[in-house]
Amino acid sequence: LRAILEARGIRGLVLAPFPVTGSELSLDWAHFAAAAIGFSLSHPNLHRAVNHQAQTARHAIRRLLELGYQRIGIALSQHENARAQRNWVAAALLARFEHNAAGVTFPLLLEERIEPARLRAWCRTERPEVILTSESDVRSMVGARGPHVAHLHLTPNAAGFSGMDQANERVGAAAVDLVVEQLHANLRGVPEHAKTVLVEGQWVDGQTAPGPRVQRPRRQGAPR
């Protein structure tokens, strides 16, 4: 890989997120100015750009409270939580602490993998009005008659969903800026003090979490 990059005169590298959190990449980094996107690359510890995930979760919770939800369930897989440096669970625990006396509850489902039967059983026990999640298929698991759903990471194929836009394009641009900054300063290699740039996302109003007082669609033939 290094030979190919050097043959093409490439001195700056932006590393996209790896599919496996905790990934390592062995390379002679002394030849390159590099930056990573996200936290999935654990070694080496490069400069990186990432969505401000703690702010993303707190913003989503604040918006759901503004919409009137009182039971905000948070359903996460261990993989997605680790990929966000555990910021998802940290935000949920902080919300519990901050709203301890306000009559608001934040039931938490943290599983190795979110399974439909386990999710539905949790919903029956905890009765969340809305589920905040980073899992793309939670809404299909609970069905149209289940709790409302808001996503921590909206993707282009989630049209109409409520949740957070993590500003992926801006995160990518920030990673490029980190590489350009090093090239201009003639810096190469693994930094002694790695820098992380946090990019804030924004809430997108959608149809899947309109507020607890908005009626869900009735099943065909259901009594009025």
Short mmCIF file of all heavy atoms in Angstrom, two decimals, residues 101-164:
data_model
loop_
_atom_site.label_atom_id
_atom_site.label_comp_id
_atom_site.label_asym_id
_atom_site.label_seq_id
_atom_site.Cartn_x
_atom_site.Cartn_y
_atom_site.Cartn_z
N ALA A 101 -36.00 14.48 39.06
CA ALA A 101 -37.18 14.90 39.82
C ALA A 101 -38.27 15.48 38.93
O ALA A 101 -39.20 16.11 39.43
CB ALA A 101 -36.77 15.93 40.88
N ALA A 102 -38.18 15.29 37.63
CA ALA A 102 -39.12 15.95 36.72
C ALA A 102 -40.22 15.02 36.22
O ALA A 102 -41.03 15.41 35.38
CB ALA A 102 -38.35 16.51 35.52
N GLY A 103 -40.26 13.79 36.71
CA GLY A 103 -41.29 12.86 36.26
C GLY A 103 -41.05 12.30 34.88
O GLY A 103 -41.96 11.73 34.27
N VAL A 104 -39.84 12.45 34.37
CA VAL A 104 -39.48 11.93 33.04
C VAL A 104 -38.63 10.68 33.25
O VAL A 104 -37.78 10.65 34.13
CB VAL A 104 -38.70 12.97 32.22
CG1 VAL A 104 -38.39 12.44 30.84
CG2 VAL A 104 -39.50 14.26 32.13
N THR A 105 -38.86 9.65 32.45
CA THR A 105 -38.08 8.42 32.59
C THR A 105 -37.37 8.10 31.28
O THR A 105 -37.85 8.44 30.19
CB THR A 105 -38.97 7.23 32.98
OG1 THR A 105 -40.00 7.08 32.00
CG2 THR A 105 -39.60 7.46 34.35
N PHE A 106 -36.23 7.42 31.40
CA PHE A 106 -35.39 7.09 30.25
C PHE A 106 -35.01 5.61 30.32
O PHE A 106 -33.86 5.28 30.62
CB PHE A 106 -34.14 7.96 30.21
CG PHE A 106 -34.40 9.42 30.10
CD1 PHE A 106 -34.54 10.21 31.24
CD2 PHE A 106 -34.55 10.04 28.87
CE1 PHE A 106 -34.80 11.56 31.16
CE2 PHE A 106 -34.81 11.39 28.76
CZ PHE A 106 -34.94 12.16 29.91
N PRO A 107 -35.94 4.69 30.10
CA PRO A 107 -35.59 3.27 30.11
C PRO A 107 -34.55 2.96 29.03
O PRO A 107 -34.60 3.51 27.92
CB PRO A 107 -36.91 2.56 29.83
CG PRO A 107 -37.80 3.59 29.23
CD PRO A 107 -37.37 4.91 29.80
N LEU A 108 -33.60 2.10 29.37
CA LEU A 108 -32.46 1.82 28.48
C LEU A 108 -32.43 0.34 28.13
O LEU A 108 -32.51 -0.52 29.02
CB LEU A 108 -31.16 2.22 29.17
CG LEU A 108 -29.85 1.87 28.44
CD1 LEU A 108 -29.75 2.62 27.11
CD2 LEU A 108 -28.65 2.21 29.33
N LEU A 109 -32.33 0.05 26.84
CA LEU A 109 -32.13 -1.31 26.35
C LEU A 109 -30.76 -1.34 25.65
O LEU A 109 -30.58 -0.73 24.60
CB LEU A 109 -33.23 -1.72 25.37
CG LEU A 109 -33.07 -3.11 24.74
CD1 LEU A 109 -33.21 -4.20 25.79
CD2 LEU A 109 -34.10 -3.32 23.62
N LEU A 110 -29.80 -2.02 26.27
CA LEU A 110 -28.46 -2.13 25.71
C LEU A 110 -28.15 -3.61 25.55
O LEU A 110 -27.97 -4.33 26.53
CB LEU A 110 -27.44 -1.46 26.66
CG LEU A 110 -25.98 -1.46 26.20
CD1 LEU A 110 -25.81 -0.69 24.90
CD2 LEU A 110 -25.09 -0.86 27.29
N GLU A 111 -28.11 -4.06 24.31
CA GLU A 111 -27.95 -5.48 24.02
C GLU A 111 -26.78 -5.69 23.05
O GLU A 111 -26.40 -4.78 22.31
CB GLU A 111 -29.22 -6.03 23.36
CG GLU A 111 -30.46 -5.90 24.22
CD GLU A 111 -30.57 -7.01 25.25
OE1 GLU A 111 -30.40 -8.18 24.89
OE2 GLU A 111 -30.82 -6.68 26.43
N GLU A 112 -26.25 -6.90 23.06
CA GLU A 112 -25.22 -7.23 22.08
C GLU A 112 -25.76 -7.01 20.67
O GLU A 112 -25.08 -6.51 19.79
CB GLU A 112 -24.78 -8.68 22.26
CG GLU A 112 -23.57 -9.07 21.42
CD GLU A 112 -22.32 -8.29 21.80
OE1 GLU A 112 -22.16 -7.94 22.99
OE2 GLU A 112 -21.50 -8.01 20.89
N ARG A 113 -27.02 -7.38 20.50
CA ARG A 113 -27.71 -7.16 19.23
C ARG A 113 -29.19 -6.96 19.53
O ARG A 113 -29.75 -7.68 20.36
CB ARG A 113 -27.51 -8.37 18.30
CG ARG A 113 -28.15 -8.21 16.94
CD ARG A 113 -27.85 -9.40 16.07
NE ARG A 113 -28.50 -9.30 14.78
CZ ARG A 113 -28.44 -10.22 13.83
NH1 ARG A 113 -27.76 -11.33 14.05
NH2 ARG A 113 -29.05 -10.04 12.68
N ILE A 114 -29.81 -5.98 18.90
CA ILE A 114 -31.24 -5.71 19.12
C ILE A 114 -32.05 -6.74 18.34
O ILE A 114 -32.04 -6.75 17.11
CB ILE A 114 -31.63 -4.29 18.69
CG1 ILE A 114 -30.78 -3.25 19.44
CG2 ILE A 114 -33.11 -4.05 18.93
CD1 ILE A 114 -31.00 -3.22 20.93
N GLU A 115 -32.74 -7.62 19.06
CA GLU A 115 -33.57 -8.65 18.45
C GLU A 115 -35.05 -8.27 18.59
O GLU A 115 -35.45 -7.70 19.61
CB GLU A 115 -33.33 -10.00 19.13
CG GLU A 115 -31.88 -10.49 19.06
CD GLU A 115 -31.53 -11.05 17.69
OE1 GLU A 115 -32.44 -11.10 16.83
OE2 GLU A 115 -30.36 -11.44 17.50
N PRO A 116 -35.86 -8.59 17.58
CA PRO A 116 -37.27 -8.18 17.62
C PRO A 116 -38.02 -8.65 18.87
O PRO A 116 -38.74 -7.85 19.50
CB PRO A 116 -37.85 -8.83 16.35
CG PRO A 116 -36.69 -8.96 15.43
CD PRO A 116 -35.51 -9.23 16.29
N ALA A 117 -37.88 -9.91 19.25
CA ALA A 117 -38.63 -10.42 20.41
C ALA A 117 -38.20 -9.71 21.69
O ALA A 117 -39.05 -9.34 22.51
CB ALA A 117 -38.43 -11.92 20.54
N ARG A 118 -36.92 -9.52 21.86
CA ARG A 118 -36.42 -8.84 23.06
C ARG A 118 -36.87 -7.38 23.09
O ARG A 118 -37.25 -6.86 24.14
CB ARG A 118 -34.88 -8.91 23.09
CG ARG A 118 -34.24 -8.16 24.25
CD ARG A 118 -34.45 -8.87 25.56
NE ARG A 118 -33.84 -8.14 26.65
CZ ARG A 118 -34.50 -7.34 27.49
NH1 ARG A 118 -35.81 -7.18 27.35
NH2 ARG A 118 -33.87 -6.71 28.44
N LEU A 119 -36.85 -6.73 21.93
CA LEU A 119 -37.27 -5.33 21.85
C LEU A 119 -38.75 -5.19 22.20
O LEU A 119 -39.13 -4.31 22.98
CB LEU A 119 -36.99 -4.78 20.45
CG LEU A 119 -37.46 -3.35 20.19
CD1 LEU A 119 -36.69 -2.35 21.05
CD2 LEU A 119 -37.30 -3.00 18.70
N ARG A 120 -39.59 -6.07 21.65
CA ARG A 120 -41.03 -5.97 21.92
C ARG A 120 -41.34 -6.28 23.38
O ARG A 120 -42.22 -5.65 23.98
CB ARG A 120 -41.79 -6.90 20.97
CG ARG A 120 -41.80 -6.39 19.52
CD ARG A 120 -42.80 -7.15 18.68
NE ARG A 120 -42.34 -8.49 18.37
CZ ARG A 120 -41.68 -8.83 17.27
NH1 ARG A 120 -41.39 -7.89 16.36
NH2 ARG A 120 -41.31 -10.06 17.04
N ALA A 121 -40.62 -7.24 23.97
CA ALA A 121 -40.82 -7.54 25.39
C ALA A 121 -40.43 -6.34 26.25
O ALA A 121 -41.12 -6.01 27.23
CB ALA A 121 -40.00 -8.78 25.78
N TRP A 122 -39.34 -5.69 25.90
CA TRP A 122 -38.89 -4.48 26.62
C TRP A 122 -39.94 -3.37 26.49
O TRP A 122 -40.23 -2.67 27.46
CB TRP A 122 -37.54 -4.05 26.08
CG TRP A 122 -37.01 -2.76 26.59
CD1 TRP A 122 -36.45 -2.52 27.82
CD2 TRP A 122 -36.96 -1.51 25.89
NE1 TRP A 122 -36.05 -1.22 27.92
CE2 TRP A 122 -36.35 -0.57 26.76
CE3 TRP A 122 -37.35 -1.10 24.62
CZ2 TRP A 122 -36.13 0.76 26.38
CZ3 TRP A 122 -37.14 0.21 24.24
CH2 TRP A 122 -36.54 1.12 25.12
N CYS A 123 -40.51 -3.22 25.32
CA CYS A 123 -41.54 -2.20 25.12
C CYS A 123 -42.77 -2.48 25.99
O CYS A 123 -43.35 -1.55 26.56
CB CYS A 123 -41.95 -2.14 23.65
SG CYS A 123 -40.74 -1.37 22.56
N ARG A 124 -43.16 -3.75 26.10
CA ARG A 124 -44.32 -4.09 26.94
C ARG A 124 -44.04 -3.79 28.41
O ARG A 124 -44.93 -3.33 29.14
CB ARG A 124 -44.69 -5.56 26.77
CG ARG A 124 -45.33 -5.90 25.44
CD ARG A 124 -45.94 -7.28 25.44
NE ARG A 124 -44.93 -8.33 25.63
CZ ARG A 124 -44.29 -8.92 24.63
NH1 ARG A 124 -44.54 -8.58 23.38
NH2 ARG A 124 -43.40 -9.86 24.88
N THR A 125 -42.79 -4.01 28.84
CA THR A 125 -42.44 -3.79 30.25
C THR A 125 -42.25 -2.31 30.56
O THR A 125 -42.76 -1.79 31.56
CB THR A 125 -41.16 -4.56 30.60
OG1 THR A 125 -41.37 -5.95 30.35
CG2 THR A 125 -40.77 -4.36 32.06
N GLU A 126 -41.52 -1.61 29.71
CA GLU A 126 -41.12 -0.22 29.99
C GLU A 126 -42.09 0.81 29.43
O GLU A 126 -42.07 1.97 29.86
CB GLU A 126 -39.71 0.04 29.43
CG GLU A 126 -38.62 -0.86 30.03
CD GLU A 126 -38.38 -0.57 31.49
OE1 GLU A 126 -38.86 0.46 32.00
OE2 GLU A 126 -37.72 -1.40 32.15
N ARG A 127 -42.90 0.43 28.44
CA ARG A 127 -43.91 1.31 27.84
C ARG A 127 -43.35 2.67 27.38
O ARG A 127 -43.89 3.72 27.73
CB ARG A 127 -45.06 1.53 28.83
CG ARG A 127 -45.82 0.26 29.18
CD ARG A 127 -46.89 0.46 30.22
NE ARG A 127 -46.31 0.79 31.52
CZ ARG A 127 -46.35 1.99 32.07
NH1 ARG A 127 -46.94 2.99 31.45
NH2 ARG A 127 -45.81 2.20 33.25
N PRO A 128 -42.27 2.67 26.60
CA PRO A 128 -41.77 3.96 26.10
C PRO A 128 -42.75 4.59 25.12
O PRO A 128 -43.39 3.89 24.34
CB PRO A 128 -40.46 3.58 25.40
CG PRO A 128 -40.68 2.16 24.96
CD PRO A 128 -41.51 1.53 26.05
N GLU A 129 -42.88 5.90 25.20
CA GLU A 129 -43.70 6.63 24.21
C GLU A 129 -42.93 6.79 22.90
O GLU A 129 -43.52 6.86 21.82
CB GLU A 129 -44.06 8.01 24.75
CG GLU A 129 -44.91 7.99 25.99
CD GLU A 129 -45.06 9.38 26.57
OE1 GLU A 129 -44.04 10.07 26.78
OE2 GLU A 129 -46.21 9.79 26.81
N VAL A 130 -41.63 6.88 23.00
CA VAL A 130 -40.77 7.03 21.83
C VAL A 130 -39.47 6.30 22.12
O VAL A 130 -39.02 6.22 23.26
CB VAL A 130 -40.50 8.53 21.52
CG1 VAL A 130 -39.75 9.20 22.65
CG2 VAL A 130 -39.75 8.70 20.20
N ILE A 131 -38.87 5.74 21.07
CA ILE A 131 -37.58 5.05 21.19
C ILE A 131 -36.55 5.85 20.42
O ILE A 131 -36.70 6.12 19.23
CB ILE A 131 -37.65 3.62 20.63
CG1 ILE A 131 -38.68 2.79 21.40
CG2 ILE A 131 -36.27 2.96 20.71
CD1 ILE A 131 -38.92 1.41 20.81
N LEU A 132 -35.47 6.23 21.11
CA LEU A 132 -34.33 6.89 20.48
C LEU A 132 -33.27 5.83 20.24
O LEU A 132 -32.87 5.13 21.17
CB LEU A 132 -33.80 8.00 21.38
CG LEU A 132 -32.62 8.81 20.86
CD1 LEU A 132 -32.97 9.55 19.58
CD2 LEU A 132 -32.14 9.81 21.93
N THR A 133 -32.82 5.69 19.01
CA THR A 133 -31.94 4.57 18.67
C THR A 133 -30.99 4.93 17.54
O THR A 133 -31.23 5.88 16.79
CB THR A 133 -32.79 3.35 18.25
OG1 THR A 133 -31.93 2.23 17.99
CG2 THR A 133 -33.63 3.65 17.02
N SER A 134 -29.92 4.16 17.43
CA SER A 134 -29.03 4.26 16.27
C SER A 134 -29.19 3.06 15.36
O SER A 134 -28.45 2.92 14.38
CB SER A 134 -27.57 4.36 16.74
OG SER A 134 -27.22 3.21 17.49
N GLU A 135 -30.15 2.19 15.67
CA GLU A 135 -30.40 0.98 14.87
C GLU A 135 -31.43 1.27 13.79
O GLU A 135 -32.52 1.78 14.08
CB GLU A 135 -30.90 -0.15 15.77
CG GLU A 135 -30.04 -0.40 17.00
CD GLU A 135 -28.65 -0.88 16.65
OE1 GLU A 135 -28.52 -1.67 15.69
OE2 GLU A 135 -27.69 -0.48 17.33
N SER A 136 -31.12 0.93 12.56
CA SER A 136 -31.96 1.34 11.44
C SER A 136 -33.28 0.60 11.34
O SER A 136 -34.23 1.09 10.72
CB SER A 136 -31.18 1.15 10.13
OG SER A 136 -30.83 -0.22 9.96
N ASP A 137 -33.39 -0.59 11.93
CA ASP A 137 -34.60 -1.40 11.73
C ASP A 137 -35.50 -1.47 12.95
O ASP A 137 -36.41 -2.30 13.00
CB ASP A 137 -34.20 -2.82 11.30
CG ASP A 137 -33.16 -3.45 12.21
OD1 ASP A 137 -32.70 -2.75 13.14
OD2 ASP A 137 -32.80 -4.62 12.00
N VAL A 138 -35.30 -0.60 13.94
CA VAL A 138 -36.14 -0.64 15.14
C VAL A 138 -37.60 -0.37 14.81
O VAL A 138 -38.50 -1.03 15.34
CB VAL A 138 -35.61 0.35 16.20
CG1 VAL A 138 -36.68 0.67 17.25
CG2 VAL A 138 -34.38 -0.22 16.88
N ARG A 139 -37.88 0.59 13.93
CA ARG A 139 -39.27 0.92 13.64
C ARG A 139 -40.00 -0.26 13.00
O ARG A 139 -41.16 -0.53 13.32
CB ARG A 139 -39.36 2.14 12.73
CG ARG A 139 -40.80 2.63 12.55
CD ARG A 139 -40.86 4.02 11.97
NE ARG A 139 -42.21 4.52 11.95
CZ ARG A 139 -42.98 4.58 10.87
NH1 ARG A 139 -42.53 4.14 9.72
NH2 ARG A 139 -44.20 5.07 10.93
N SER A 140 -39.35 -0.98 12.12
CA SER A 140 -40.00 -2.14 11.51
C SER A 140 -40.22 -3.24 12.54
O SER A 140 -41.18 -4.01 12.44
CB SER A 140 -39.17 -2.67 10.34
OG SER A 140 -37.90 -3.12 10.79
N MET A 141 -39.34 -3.32 13.55
CA MET A 141 -39.50 -4.33 14.60
C MET A 141 -40.71 -4.05 15.48
O MET A 141 -41.44 -4.96 15.86
CB MET A 141 -38.25 -4.39 15.47
CG MET A 141 -37.02 -4.97 14.80
SD MET A 141 -35.63 -5.06 15.97
CE MET A 141 -34.29 -5.49 14.88
N VAL A 142 -40.93 -2.78 15.84
CA VAL A 142 -42.05 -2.46 16.75
C VAL A 142 -43.35 -2.28 15.98
O VAL A 142 -44.43 -2.38 16.56
CB VAL A 142 -41.75 -1.20 17.59
CG1 VAL A 142 -40.52 -1.42 18.45
CG2 VAL A 142 -41.57 0.04 16.71
N GLY A 143 -43.28 -2.00 14.67
CA GLY A 143 -44.48 -1.87 13.87
C GLY A 143 -45.14 -0.51 14.00
O GLY A 143 -44.80 0.30 14.87
N ALA A 144 -46.11 -0.25 13.13
CA ALA A 144 -46.77 1.05 13.08
C ALA A 144 -47.56 1.35 14.35
O ALA A 144 -47.79 2.51 14.68
CB ALA A 144 -47.69 1.12 11.86
N ARG A 145 -47.99 0.31 15.08
CA ARG A 145 -48.76 0.51 16.30
C ARG A 145 -47.87 0.58 17.53
O ARG A 145 -48.38 0.74 18.65
CB ARG A 145 -49.78 -0.63 16.46
CG ARG A 145 -50.78 -0.72 15.32
CD ARG A 145 -51.76 0.42 15.33
NE ARG A 145 -52.62 0.38 16.51
CZ ARG A 145 -53.51 1.33 16.78
NH1 ARG A 145 -53.65 2.37 15.99
NH2 ARG A 145 -54.26 1.23 17.86
N GLY A 146 -46.59 0.43 17.36
CA GLY A 146 -45.67 0.49 18.49
C GLY A 146 -45.29 1.91 18.84
O GLY A 146 -45.88 2.88 18.35
N PRO A 147 -44.30 2.08 19.71
CA PRO A 147 -43.86 3.43 20.11
C PRO A 147 -43.34 4.21 18.90
O PRO A 147 -42.94 3.64 17.89
CB PRO A 147 -42.73 3.15 21.11
CG PRO A 147 -42.89 1.73 21.51
CD PRO A 147 -43.51 1.02 20.37
N HIS A 148 -43.37 5.52 19.03
CA HIS A 148 -42.71 6.36 18.03
C HIS A 148 -41.21 6.08 18.05
O HIS A 148 -40.68 5.55 19.02
CB HIS A 148 -42.98 7.84 18.33
CG HIS A 148 -44.40 8.24 18.12
ND1 HIS A 148 -44.92 9.43 18.57
CD2 HIS A 148 -45.43 7.61 17.50
CE1 HIS A 148 -46.19 9.52 18.23
NE2 HIS A 148 -46.53 8.43 17.59
N VAL A 149 -40.52 6.45 16.96
CA VAL A 149 -39.09 6.17 16.84
C VAL A 149 -38.36 7.40 16.32
O VAL A 149 -38.83 8.06 15.39
CB VAL A 149 -38.83 4.98 15.88
CG1 VAL A 149 -37.34 4.76 15.69
CG2 VAL A 149 -39.48 3.71 16.42
N ALA A 150 -37.22 7.71 16.94
CA ALA A 150 -36.34 8.78 16.46
C ALA A 150 -34.93 8.20 16.35
O ALA A 150 -34.52 7.39 17.19
CB ALA A 150 -36.35 9.97 17.42
N HIS A 151 -34.21 8.63 15.32
CA HIS A 151 -32.89 8.06 15.05
C HIS A 151 -31.76 9.03 15.43
O HIS A 151 -31.88 10.25 15.23
CB HIS A 151 -32.76 7.69 13.58
CG HIS A 151 -33.46 6.41 13.24
ND1 HIS A 151 -32.86 5.18 13.38
CD2 HIS A 151 -34.73 6.16 12.81
CE1 HIS A 151 -33.72 4.23 13.03
NE2 HIS A 151 -34.86 4.81 12.69
N LEU A 152 -30.70 8.46 15.96
CA LEU A 152 -29.51 9.24 16.30
C LEU A 152 -28.64 9.52 15.08
O LEU A 152 -27.78 10.39 15.14
CB LEU A 152 -28.67 8.49 17.35
CG LEU A 152 -29.27 8.47 18.76
CD1 LEU A 152 -28.63 7.37 19.59
CD2 LEU A 152 -29.07 9.83 19.43
N HIS A 153 -28.87 8.79 14.00
CA HIS A 153 -28.04 8.98 12.81
C HIS A 153 -28.90 8.75 11.57
O HIS A 153 -29.02 7.62 11.08
CB HIS A 153 -26.86 7.99 12.83
CG HIS A 153 -25.90 8.20 11.71
ND1 HIS A 153 -24.87 7.33 11.44
CD2 HIS A 153 -25.79 9.20 10.80
CE1 HIS A 153 -24.19 7.77 10.40
NE2 HIS A 153 -24.74 8.90 9.99
N LEU A 154 -29.51 9.81 11.08
CA LEU A 154 -30.32 9.70 9.87
C LEU A 154 -29.42 9.48 8.66
O LEU A 154 -28.38 10.10 8.52
CB LEU A 154 -31.14 10.97 9.67
CG LEU A 154 -32.26 11.23 10.69
CD1 LEU A 154 -32.92 12.56 10.41
CD2 LEU A 154 -33.29 10.11 10.68
N THR A 155 -29.85 8.60 7.78
CA THR A 155 -29.13 8.31 6.54
C THR A 155 -29.99 8.72 5.36
O THR A 155 -31.19 8.95 5.50
CB THR A 155 -28.79 6.81 6.46
OG1 THR A 155 -30.01 6.06 6.59
CG2 THR A 155 -27.84 6.40 7.58
N PRO A 156 -29.41 8.83 4.17
CA PRO A 156 -30.20 9.28 3.01
C PRO A 156 -31.43 8.43 2.72
O PRO A 156 -32.39 8.92 2.14
CB PRO A 156 -29.19 9.21 1.86
CG PRO A 156 -27.86 9.40 2.52
CD PRO A 156 -27.98 8.71 3.85
N ASN A 157 -31.42 7.15 3.11
CA ASN A 157 -32.59 6.30 2.82
C ASN A 157 -33.63 6.35 3.93
O ASN A 157 -34.54 5.53 3.96
CB ASN A 157 -32.15 4.85 2.58
CG ASN A 157 -31.46 4.25 3.79
OD1 ASN A 157 -31.18 4.94 4.76
ND2 ASN A 157 -31.16 2.96 3.72
N ALA A 158 -33.48 7.30 4.88
CA ALA A 158 -34.43 7.41 6.00
C ALA A 158 -35.36 8.60 5.80
O ALA A 158 -35.64 9.34 6.73
CB ALA A 158 -33.67 7.53 7.32
N ALA A 159 -35.84 8.79 4.58
CA ALA A 159 -36.73 9.92 4.29
C ALA A 159 -37.99 9.84 5.14
O ALA A 159 -38.60 8.79 5.27
CB ALA A 159 -37.10 9.91 2.81
N GLY A 160 -38.34 10.98 5.75
CA GLY A 160 -39.53 11.04 6.58
C GLY A 160 -39.31 10.69 8.03
O GLY A 160 -40.20 10.89 8.85
N PHE A 161 -38.13 10.19 8.38
CA PHE A 161 -37.85 9.82 9.76
C PHE A 161 -37.47 11.05 10.59
O PHE A 161 -36.88 12.01 10.08
CB PHE A 161 -36.72 8.80 9.83
CG PHE A 161 -37.16 7.39 9.61
CD1 PHE A 161 -37.56 6.95 8.36
CD2 PHE A 161 -37.18 6.48 10.65
CE1 PHE A 161 -37.98 5.66 8.14
CE2 PHE A 161 -37.59 5.17 10.45
CZ PHE A 161 -37.99 4.76 9.19
N SER A 162 -37.82 10.99 11.86
CA SER A 162 -37.40 12.02 12.82
C SER A 162 -36.04 11.63 13.39
O SER A 162 -35.75 10.44 13.58
CB SER A 162 -38.40 12.12 13.97
OG SER A 162 -39.72 12.26 13.50
N GLY A 163 -35.20 12.63 13.67
CA GLY A 163 -33.92 12.31 14.28
C GLY A 163 -32.83 13.30 13.96
O GLY A 163 -33.10 14.42 13.53
N MET A 164 -31.61 12.86 14.16
CA MET A 164 -30.45 13.73 14.05
C MET A 164 -29.68 13.52 12.74
O MET A 164 -29.33 12.39 12.39
CB MET A 164 -29.50 13.49 15.22
CG MET A 164 -30.07 13.87 16.58
SD MET A 164 -30.44 15.64 16.74
CE MET A 164 -28.80 16.36 16.56
#
